[in-house]
């Protein structure tokens, strides 16, 4: 018994994790905030009706995002293991809940495949912005510049591999010295840059129209498909339903207040999305762009916006640097899922796990990098690989993972264990709140996600 206790506690001591409260917050927020806020949120909001979409997204964040995120972090911290092992040891023997973690690993590869390509465009744009080659107030010029990048297979691949090497390098340094140290430095810079840009955009002539697009709802735009898109965005944004938050939860400190940290992360994440919307939509209207332009929105509007303002060159470099920063924190957390599983379950050394993940990703990811060029006509279910991986992860794997997690916590793990875990073994007085949360996790969230998935996918 004593022998076993000593082994367990020294194994826990040896495991790398986040070292300070601010570090926990920076890394978790670093995972949530990313291209989802600056690239996906604006273009999806633009394409799906503006404010009404925003409203559905907010509801999804509260009713689905919050309970799932708290559950994941809680399970990770309770088990202190990777996403697969955590569910293996928390679940009764023989029950296959660990599949949530396994599908999480799959989702990590799918997401990272297209995510690293968007990040590749962002990193490329940092350098192009510095050189001034993409700066033009003529939308035709900025669209052509973006189209040229996407259609160039060599550039697309090389930038993607460059991004992968960069992220791999940080991951090699470990959890506290890599992920935590880097996000702690970068997140404050990100907030500062975004505020500067938001203020600048609000001073543009067309600002009012952009704001009213973002804040006046048009309920006729809400369809079952739009609701699923909004919910998928909530999963994607909060990095939930695929094991990232289980993994990060396992690095949380024991005295960290999980519900409060989750609320803070959600609030800050929303704030960043709103700031990104405020920086982009006024500009879109001011320059007569189409708000429903799709994934290329950020890459063609932003350069045009900056081209026509004083010190635009500097602002544009700042914008893409900040987007690169946001993407970095998120990519670290996506890759940490497979890396930690390889280390935790298969006993592979961290450097080998990182290397193996990168190689596999370079292979799978290249199908997304080439989706705009050599593989443009290669389609499954009518979608190229880039769009397919995006849809499958946000609309299938993550919501299904969310349902499974809620069912596990609500029906298998149970209230007593949840209360113990979320009150830090009785140190926090939050019983009333936890009872309400448990009810939502047990009934509301899983049912809601199921309904949205089935209707959004056209089952009824
Ligand atoms: N939340 C990240 C973003 O918004 C993306 C992400 C998805 C990160 C899933 C981790 C896991 O960009």
């Amino acid at each position: 018994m004593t022998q076993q206790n000593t082994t367990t506690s020294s194994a826990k001591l040896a495991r790398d994790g986040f070292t300070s409260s601010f570090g926990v917050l920076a890394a978790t927020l670093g995972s949530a905030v990313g291209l989802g806020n600056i690239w996906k949120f604006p273009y999806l909001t633009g394409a799906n009706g503006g404010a009404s979409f925003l409203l559905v997204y907010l509801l999804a964040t509260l009713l689905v995002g919050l309970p799932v995120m708290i559950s994941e972090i809680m399970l990770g911290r309770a088990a202190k293991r990777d996403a697969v092992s955590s569910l293996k040891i928390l679940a009764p023997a023989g029950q296959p809940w660990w599949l949530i973690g396994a599908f999480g690993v799959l989702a990590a590869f799918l997401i990272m495949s297209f995510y690293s390509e968007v990040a590749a465009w962002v990193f490329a744009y940092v350098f192009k912005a510095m050189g001034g080659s993409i700066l033009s107030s003529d939308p035709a010029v900025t669209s052509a510049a973006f189209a040229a990048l996407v259609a160039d297979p060599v550039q697309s691949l090389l930038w993607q591999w460059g991004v992968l090497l960069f992220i791999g390098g940080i991951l090699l340094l470990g959890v506290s010295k890599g992920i935590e140290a880097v996000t702690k430095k970068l997140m404050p810079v990100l907030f500062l840059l975004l505020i500067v840009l938001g203020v600048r955009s609000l001073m543009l002539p067309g600002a009012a129209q952009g704001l009213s697009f973002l804040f006046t709802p048009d309920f006729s735009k809400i369809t079952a498909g739009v609701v699923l898109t909004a919910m998928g965005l909530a999963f994607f944004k909060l990095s939930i339903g695929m094991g990232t938050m289980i993994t990060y939860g396992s690095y949380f400190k024991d005295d960290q207040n999980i519900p409060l940290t989750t609320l803070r992360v959600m609030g800050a994440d929303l704030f960043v999305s709103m700031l990104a919307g405020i920086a982009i939509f006024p500009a879109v209207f001011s320059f007569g762009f189409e708000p429903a332009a799709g994934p290329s929105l950020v890459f063609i509007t932003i350069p045009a916006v900056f081209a026509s303002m004083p010190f635009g060159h500097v602002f544009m470099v700042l914008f893409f640097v900040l987007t690169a920063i946001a993407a970095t924190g998120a990519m670290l957390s996506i890759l940490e899922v497979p890396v930690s599983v390889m280390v935790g379950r298969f006993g592979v050394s961290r450097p080998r796990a990182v290397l193996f993940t990168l190689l596999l990703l370079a292979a799978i990811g290249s199908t997304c990098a080439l989706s705009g060029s050599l593989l443009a006509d290669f389609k499954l279910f009518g979608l190229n690989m880039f769009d397919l991986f995006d849809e499958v992860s946000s609309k299938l794997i993550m919501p299904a993972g969310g349902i499974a997690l809620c069912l596990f916590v609500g029906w298998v793990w149970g209230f007593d264990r949840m209360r113990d875990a979320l009150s830090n073994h009785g140190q926090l007085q939050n019983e009333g709140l936890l009872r309400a949360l448990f009810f939502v996790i047990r009934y509301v969230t899983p049912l809601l996600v199921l309904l949205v998935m089935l209707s959004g996918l056209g089952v009824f």
Side-chain angles (χ1 to χ4, degrees):
M1 182 68 191
T2 330
Q3 171 68 38
Q4 196 188 355
N5 274 349
T6 341
T7 336
T8 324
S9 59
S10 61
K12 274 186 187 166
L13 273 185
R15 194 167 185 267
D16 199 0
F18 302 139
T19 57
S20 68
S21 252
F22 177 62
V24 171
L25 195 68
T28 314
L29 191 58
S31 166
V33 168
L35 296 172
N37 309 65
I38 300 168
W39 165 72
K40 219 175 209 247
F41 171 82
Y43 95 70
L44 284 179
T45 309
N48 292 295
S52 46
F53 179 81
L54 187 59
L55 205 71
V56 182
Y57 170 68
L58 284 179
L59 281 176
T61 303
L62 270 180
L63 291 175
V64 177
L66 189 67
V68 176
M69 189 165 174
I70 294 180
S71 301
E72 274 198 47
I73 296 177
M74 167 183 81
L75 296 175
R77 191 179 65 180
K80 292 219 167 18
R81 284 170 172 78
D82 61 89
V84 173
S85 312
S86 286
L87 286 155
K88 269 221 153 126
I89 66 155
L90 296 179
Q95 294 187 11
W97 296 99
W98 57 270
L99 282 173
I100 303 175
F103 274 99
V105 171
L106 173 67
F109 279 101
L110 296 184
I111 296 176
M112 198 51 193
S113 292
F114 71 86
Y115 206 94
S116 59
E117 186 51 27
V118 184
W121 300 334
V122 172
F123 279 73
Y125 263 50
V126 169
F127 292 92
K128 289 181 195 281
M130 283 178 183
S133 65
I134 48 170
L135 200 67
S136 164
S137 56
D138 180 358
V141 175
T142 59
S143 323
F146 181 63
L149 174 62
V150 175
D152 181 341
V154 178
Q155 273 206 60
S156 300
L157 274 181
L158 290 182
W159 280 109
Q160 185 186 42
W161 293 346
V163 166
L164 290 179
L165 278 180
F166 172 63
I167 300 298
I170 302 177
L171 281 176
L172 275 182
L173 298 172
V175 178
S176 52
K177 297 210 174 72
I179 298 175
E180 180 180 358
V182 169
T183 49
K184 249 162 79 176
K185 290 200 190 83
L186 294 186
M187 289 315 281
V189 182
L190 174 97
F191 272 80
L192 197 80
L193 289 182
L194 252 181
I195 292 175
V196 171
L197 283 175
V199 170
R200 182 65 194 86
S201 185
L202 282 178
M203 286 154 56
L204 288 169
Q209 206 188 341
L211 287 185
S212 88
F213 177 75
L214 200 56
F215 293 114
T216 325
D218 171 4
F219 291 102
S220 67
K221 291 260 167 57
I222 301 183
T223 61
V226 167
V227 175
L228 178 59
T229 304
M231 191 180 76
L233 179 64
F235 274 96
F236 184 84
K237 277 289 343 93
L238 296 173
S239 319
I240 53 176
M242 47 142 312
T244 289
M245 286 299 160
I246 300 181
T247 311
Y248 270 28
S250 77
Y251 304 138
F252 264 49
K253 288 162 57 228
D254 284 323
D255 59 354
Q256 191 86 16
N257 183 335
I258 294 178
L260 188 67
T261 307
T262 307
L263 265 177
R264 287 200 175 131
V265 168
M266 252 183 64
D269 179 68
L270 207 60
F271 179 68
V272 174
S273 292
M274 296 312 296
L275 273 181
I278 288 173
I280 290 167
F281 285 112
V284 167
F285 284 95
S286 176
F287 291 92
F289 284 110
E290 187 42 56
S296 59
L297 184 69
V298 167
F299 298 96
I300 55 179
T301 51
I302 289 293
V305 172
F306 291 131
S308 35
M309 62 169 69
F311 304 108
H313 192 169
V314 180
F315 279 112
M316 183 167 59
V317 175
L318 286 184
F319 176 84
F320 285 107
V321 166
L322 102 91
T323 310
I325 292 176
T328 299
M331 287 191 285
L332 290 173
S333 73
I334 304 173
L335 285 187
E336 185 63 16
V337 176
V339 167
S340 64
V341 169
M342 274 179 235
V343 173
R345 274 225 77 69
F346 302 111
V348 181
S349 71
R350 194 170 169 93
R352 275 174 193 239
V354 171
L355 187 71
F356 182 70
T357 308
L358 287 186
L359 286 176
L360 195 58
L361 205 75
I364 308 177
S366 55
T367 61
C368 292
L370 300 176
S371 279
S373 51
L374 303 179
L375 298 180
D377 296 324
F378 180 65
K379 294 192 172 162
L380 283 179
F381 308 105
L383 297 169
N384 63 29
M385 293 306 108
F386 185 105
D387 295 330
L388 183 73
F389 291 178
D390 186 359
E391 297 272 308
V392 168
S393 47
S394 284
K395 293 185 179 169
L396 277 174
I397 303 183
M398 290 200 251
I403 296 179
L405 279 160
C406 289
L407 293 181
F408 176 67
V409 173
W411 299 89
V412 179
W413 219 50
F415 182 68
D416 291 342
R417 289 200 186 90
M418 179 177 126
R419 177 178 49 199
D420 187 51
L422 291 182
S423 68
N424 296 350
H425 312 298
Q427 277 171 2
L428 304 171
Q429 300 304 317
N430 49 6
E431 167 114 17
L433 197 89
L434 296 186
R435 286 204 179 272
L437 181 67
F438 188 69
F439 178 81
V440 174
I441 292 177
R442 193 169 153 108
Y443 302 103
V444 182
T445 310
L447 256 175
L448 197 70
V449 178
L450 187 69
L451 284 179
V452 171
M453 270 180 90
L454 293 181
S455 63
L457 295 172
V459 178
F460 59 77

